[in-house]
Amino acid sequence: MLIADDQPLVRRGLALILAPDPEFEVVGEAADGAEAVALAQRLRPDVVVMDIRMPVLDGVKATEELARLVPETRVLALSTFDMDEYVVAALRAGAYGFLPKDVSPEELGAGVRTVHGGEAVVAPRLLTRLISTYVRAPERPVRRPLATPGELTPRELEIWHLLASGLDNSEIARDLDISVSTVKNHITGIFGKLGVRDRAQAVIAAYESGLVAAGQERG
C-alpha cells in the first residue's frame, strides 16, 4: 500500500493506523500526486490511499495517471469534506471509491480491504447524494457508456435505476422480490453492457445518460 498526502502528519497518522494490521504493508509515502505516480510505477502497490487535494499534481490527475500507467493498482481517494466535487472527479478518473478523512480506523481498514477486493467503497446513498449534487449531464461533454438505456433489458434497466437511486443489493432484491444472487448477476451484466467497472461508475453513467435526474428522489 502507498499513502499519498501533502501533510506529513496525516501520512504518518494513516501509516500508524494501517501498518499494525497484518493484512497491510505500507511500502511508501508520497507528498504529492506526481511522487505518488512515480512511486506506484516503481513499487506496484495493490492500493494507493490518495488525498484529493495535493500540490504539483492533484489526486484526481494522479488517479488518471495511475489508471493509465499502473491499472492493477487501485485508488482509494480521501477528502476532508464528504460533499466535495473533487470526489466525483476522482471516481470519473478511475478511483475505486473514497472516504472522508474523519472515518474511524476500523472504517479506513475496511475501506482499503474493499478496494483491494475490486469493489467500490462509497456508501450507495452517499454516492447518490454526491452525484446528484455535482453531475449535470447537459452542462459538460461526457464519456458515453457502451450501451444506452434502450439497449438494456427491461429488468436490467429497472435494476440500474434502483442502483442509481441509492439502493443496495438486498434492498433491490426486496423491491423486486428476487434473490440477492439474481440481483448480482443482473448487475454484472449491466456493468458489462455499460462498459463500467463498478457501482460508482454505473451510478455516474445513470446520471450522464439521463436515466436518473440530478436531485431526483426515489418513488
Side-chain angles (χ1 to χ4, degrees):
M1 180 192 325
L2 177 69
I3 296 173
D5 195 291
D6 62 320
Q7 299 181 48
L9 284 177
V10 174
R11 292 199 305 274
R12 273 289 84 206
L14 291 172
L16 288 171
I17 288 170
L18 294 168
D21 192 312
E23 292 185 51
F24 303 140
E25 180 185 4
V26 178
V27 297
E29 299 180 16
D32 58 62
E35 186 179 6
V37 172
L39 283 175
Q41 288 182 275
R42 179 163 59 87
L43 300 172
R44 302 283 167 169
D46 294 321
V47 175
V48 176
V49 179
M50 179 87 73
D51 185 25
I52 292 295
R53 302 184 184 189
M54 291 187 292
V56 184
L57 189 70
D58 66 31
V60 173
K61 295 295 185 185
T63 298
E64 288 180 347
E65 287 293 292
L66 289 175
R68 182 174 64 86
L69 298 171
V70 198
E72 68 274 18
T73 293
R74 292 163 178 160
V75 173
L76 173 59
L78 297 183
S79 175
T80 303
F81 306 103
D82 63 1
M83 290 299 294
D84 188 334
E85 64 184 342
Y86 291 104
V87 173
V88 172
L91 294 174
R92 289 176 182 274
Y96 272 71
F98 89 94
L99 291 173
K101 284 187 176 180
D102 60 358
V103 295
S104 69
E106 294 76 18
E107 289 171 322
L108 178 61
V112 172
R113 289 187 189 90
T114 301
V115 167
H116 181 261
E119 298 292 331
V121 74
V122 185
R125 286 183 179 81
L126 180 57
L127 175 63
T128 301
R129 191 170 80 239
L130 280 164
I131 293 172
S132 67
T133 300
Y134 292 110
V135 175
R136 297 294 186 269
E139 294 178 4
R140 60 169 69 90
V142 298
R143 177 190 58 80
R144 293 183 60 80
L146 296 183
T148 65
E151 294 169 327
L152 301 178
T153 68
R155 179 62 90 186
E156 287 171 339
L157 192 60
E158 192 173 20
I159 289 174
W160 187 25
H161 187 277
L162 292 173
L163 182 157
S165 298
L167 275 66
D168 62 26
N169 290 353
S170 297
E171 292 169 326
I172 293 172
R174 284 196 299 271
D175 254 34
L176 300 180
D177 196 23
I178 57 178
S179 70
V180 172
S181 62
T182 299
V183 172
K184 290 179 179 177
N185 288 338
H186 279 301
I187 288 176
T188 298
I190 291 166
F191 287 0
K193 287 185 178 180
L194 296 176
V196 300
R197 186 195 59 222
D198 55 30
R199 203 177 195 94
Q201 293 188 349
V203 176
I204 291 174
Y207 280 91
E208 292 181 338
S209 71
L211 178 73
V212 180
Q216 176 180 321
E217 297 292 333
R218 177 172 173 253

